[in-house]
Amino acid sequence: WYTLRQTQSLLDGDALHDLGLPEGEIIGRVKQALIQAQLSGQLGDTENAVTFVQDWLTVNAPDIQLLNHHTAA
């Protein structure tokens, strides 16, 4: 069995930033969600990973706004 720490995300921080994610804690949260989805068999390639991130952002957008507000203060 692989653990979160042993698994690399299909998308790295630069790819996530290119998708519009701001630098900071949110990148780590998205990568953790990506890895969990990979380990559960939901994602097979980077195209699926991009779609997953876009969907994740739609669901979690209010949390991201709160995170950005707290890190900017």
Side-chain angles (χ1 to χ4, degrees), residues 8-48:
Q8 288 191 343
S9 159
L10 286 169
L11 301 174
D12 64 12
D14 290 335
L16 293 172
H17 187 68
D18 290 345
L19 289 173
L21 283 161
E23 292 183 26
E25 180 182 338
I26 192 63
I27 296 280
R29 289 180 59 191
V30 172
K31 285 177 75 173
Q32 182 177 6
L34 270 171
I35 291 169
Q36 288 174 338
Q38 285 172 228
L39 291 174
S40 69
Q42 295 176 21
L43 306 176
D45 58 30
T46 55
E47 186 175 320
N48 291 22

